[in-house]
Amino acid sequence: MKIIEIEGNRELSGTIRVSGAKNATVALIPAAILTDEEATICNIPEITDTDALCDLLSSLNVKINRSTESIIIDPKEMINTEIEESLSKKLRASYYFMGALLGKYKKAVMYFPGGCSIGARPIDLHLKGFEALGAKVTTEGDKFVVEADELIGANIYLDFASVGATINIMLAAVKAKGTTIIDNAAKEPEIVNVATFLNNMGAKITGSGTSTIKIEGVDYLHQCFHEVIPDRIETGTYIIIGALCGKMLKVDNIIPEHVDSLISKLEEMGVELETGTDYVTILNSNNSLKATNIKTAVYPGFPTDLQQPITVLLTQASGTSKVTETIFENRFMHIPYLKSLGANIEIKNQTATIVGPKKLIGTEVVATDLRAGAAMVAAGLKAEGKTTITNAEHILRGYEQIVEKLTNVGAKISIKEI
Ligand code: UD1
């Protein structure tokens, strides 16, 4: 098990450079197998979810040439075999191989995906989309066989604007016969990044970033070069950390409009920020923050992935704040640990009520999932004394070099294996 230790209550200043987006990368790597030549992707984050997907590619006999932050994926000698259970369950995004293999070979065999335990996370919308394209889905326990004689474009309405279902249906439809329309599609920037990648290979996708995506099937996808967008959740996490303990802390290499909802909330709370074309600088962490209410929503609403980190900031605001989680039913696992650090928080149904400001004092806490882990890091940096975060491997799934990046701006943070 990995453990992160933090000596908190230090001022952070300098520059943090944000890495490529995890949630784009984990879709781009499976999408790359759709090419009939080879794909080069740069700005790939060095996170353990990337490693897990590379292992999965290797298990399918896909050639990978990985160097710092870039990867060349050559699927010319790929073999479409069953994706074994341990690889399927290593991360949530293994489910993108369902759409990609179905799109390429008309058959995918794998197991229910893994990922953070933040709710039931069914994949019914993905499967309904595949069925609408003509695939037959059979299940045997946790094992899924999805196959089709032929994939034919269809009109698909998503009951919920799911990120995963939108991307997965796009992957399956890209080589289908005819036109597919996805209505009530998710609009997250990662979806646009994946659609751009596929279009660079010769796909015909329009409307990504809106709620109607149109995909005209093509027969052949050629080689391409592509760049991963900056990670908006990593961006938001460091901006929140800056609001907690930064002084002239610059979060660089970002697309500020991807975190508009966060910036608006921080301004409402009284955080002093400067926003540039590709950076946000937190001028000074403010001791008189105002309480606010936050409700998570699909993009461009407030991201559920930043709900856990911003709760830490709300513990430092004067008055009563409310955080309502609308996307996942079990995304409050960080709350008991924040309370053990000294926060005053009560949960009723899907709303956490936070009364602040409360002094945080370091203690031993657990990273129950990726973003809960990020919240623990933020809390540990603010807390007085030593915070020990166990199960820290969750954090390394999504944050490239988090210990090094924070050390460079003055944090006292270390990681060890026990
Ligand atoms: C993705 C992100 C995750 C982020 C989430 C919401 C990846 C790998 N993960 O997760 O970090 O928190 O988007 O922005 O990109 N749902 C169904 N049936 C389905 C699919 C989803 O009921 O078939 C429900 C889910 O249980 C959840 C909601 O829809 O309540 C949103 O899920 P979705 O947008 O699909 O999130 P993920 O793709 O799992």
Side-chain angles (χ1 to χ4, degrees):
M1 181 173 64
K2 289 199 160 54
I3 292 187
I4 288 182
E5 287 176 343
I6 303 172
E7 287 287 343
N9 203 20
R10 294 165 68 96
E11 204 166 71
L12 306 184
S13 62
T15 301
I16 296 180
R17 187 183 179 278
V18 167
S19 303
K22 163 189 168 287
N23 286 349
T25 301
V26 298
L28 291 166
I29 292 176
I33 65 158
L34 283 159
T35 178
D36 298 289
E37 298 176 10
E38 64 177 35
T40 305
I41 312 173
C42 67
N43 202 28
I44 293 266
E46 304 274 334
I47 50 175
T48 52
D49 269 13
T50 305
D51 302 338
L53 287 171
C54 287
D55 290 347
L56 212 155
L57 286 177
S58 299
S59 79
L60 299 171
N61 205 39
V62 176
K63 282 203 196 108
I64 312 161
N65 189 344
R66 203 170 156 191
S67 53
T68 319
E69 294 194 353
S70 83
I71 186 169
I72 301 171
I73 296 171
D74 173 359
K76 289 195 282 294
E77 287 168 25
M78 178 172 177
I79 301 167
N80 183 21
T81 51
E82 170 179 324
I83 296 173
E84 63 184 66
E85 190 164 7
S86 61
L87 291 170
S88 304
K89 293 213 179 295
K90 244 186 185 167
L91 75 171
R92 180 78 185 155
S94 63
Y95 59 21
Y96 290 132
F97 278 93
M98 249 186 217
L101 290 171
L102 182 66
K104 183 160 182 151
Y105 297 103
K106 316 279 178 283
K107 184 170 182 180
V109 184
M110 62 171 288
Y111 290 78
F112 194 80
C116 292
S117 307
I118 52 178
R121 308 185 86 180
I123 57 167
D124 55 312
L125 300 174
H126 306 229
L127 302 177
K128 270 201 219 164
F130 299 150
E131 283 171 339
L133 295 171
K136 189 170 161 254
V137 179
T138 45
T139 53
E140 202 181 289
D142 252 7
K143 181 169 162 178
F144 289 81
V145 180
V146 188
E147 56 188 327
D149 295 331
E150 197 174 35
L151 293 170
I152 299 182
N155 287 1
I156 298 166
Y157 172 81
L158 295 179
D159 295 330
F160 184 87
S162 152
V163 174
T166 302
I167 294 179
N168 232 343
I169 294 168
M170 237 165 45
L171 298 178
V174 84
K175 293 183 105 179
K177 285 210 166 74
T179 302
T180 299
I181 309 266
I182 310 175
D183 265 321
N184 196 30
K187 296 184 277 199
E188 272 69 0
E190 293 76 19
I191 293 165
V192 181
N193 201 219
V194 175
T196 308
F197 176 58
L198 293 167
N199 283 343
N200 285 346
M201 296 199 283
K204 290 189 177 159
I205 303 172
T206 52
S208 65
T210 76
S211 49
T212 302
I213 298 179
K214 184 174 168 191
I215 305 144
E216 282 177 60
V218 295
D219 290 334
Y220 190 84
L221 293 173
H222 51 72
Q223 60 87 34
C224 82
F225 179 85
H226 186 72
E227 186 171 345
V228 183
I229 52 169
D231 194 309
R232 67 193 165 94
I233 306 302
E234 189 193 13
T235 300
T237 305
Y238 288 128
I239 292 175
I240 291 168
I241 287 173
L244 277 164
C245 35
K247 183 164 192 178
M248 296 308 287
L249 184 78
K250 184 176 185 184
V251 183
D252 202 8
N253 188 42
I254 68 166
I255 301 177
E257 70 179 30
H258 288 174
V259 284
D260 269 349
S261 58
L262 171 68
I263 291 173
S264 297
K265 278 290 161 194
L266 295 181
E267 284 174 345
E268 191 185 316
M269 291 176 72
V271 176
E272 293 170 37
L273 312 153
E274 181 195 303
T275 303
T277 47
D278 62 353
Y279 68 88
V280 165
T281 301
I282 297 90
L283 305 180
N284 211 341
S285 51
N286 191 333
N287 290 326
S288 54
L289 293 173
K290 291 192 278 284
T292 189
N293 296 333
I294 287 171
K295 197 178 210 175
T296 61
V298 295
Y299 188 83
F302 194 92
T304 168
D305 285 4
L306 289 177
Q307 176 264 108
Q308 292 150 302
I310 202 163
T311 306
V312 181
L313 187 65
L314 294 173
T315 68
Q316 303 306 302
S318 291
T320 302
S321 301
K322 285 189 188 294
V323 172
T324 304
E325 172 59 57
T326 71
I327 311 289
F328 292 109
E329 63 275 21
N330 191 22
R331 214 163 198 182
F332 281 143
M333 296 209 293
H334 58 304
I335 300 290
Y337 297 105
L338 278 182
K339 287 172 82 163
S340 71
L341 287 159
N344 179 350
I345 311 180
E346 294 306 327
I347 306 171
K348 195 166 178 205
N349 302 323
Q350 285 304 102
T351 299
T353 303
I354 304 122
V355 182
K358 277 280 182 184
K359 193 173 196 166
L360 302 180
I361 313 269
T363 185
E364 190 175 319
V365 293
V366 182
T368 53
D369 57 76
L370 169 59
R371 307 302 172 186
M376 291 304 115
V377 171
L381 291 167
K382 182 68 186 173
E384 253 174 38
K386 184 174 163 186
T387 299
T388 304
I389 308 170
T390 58
N391 283 2
E393 41 276 70
H394 279 302
I395 301 168
L396 305 183
R397 284 193 31 230
Y399 290 88
E400 180 179 65
Q401 297 200 317
I402 187 166
V403 170
E404 294 79 355
K405 286 185 185 186
L406 287 168
T407 302
N408 285 343
V409 293
K412 209 160 173 221
I413 177 170
S414 58
I415 188 160
K416 65 180 181 192
E417 178 105 42
I418 58 159

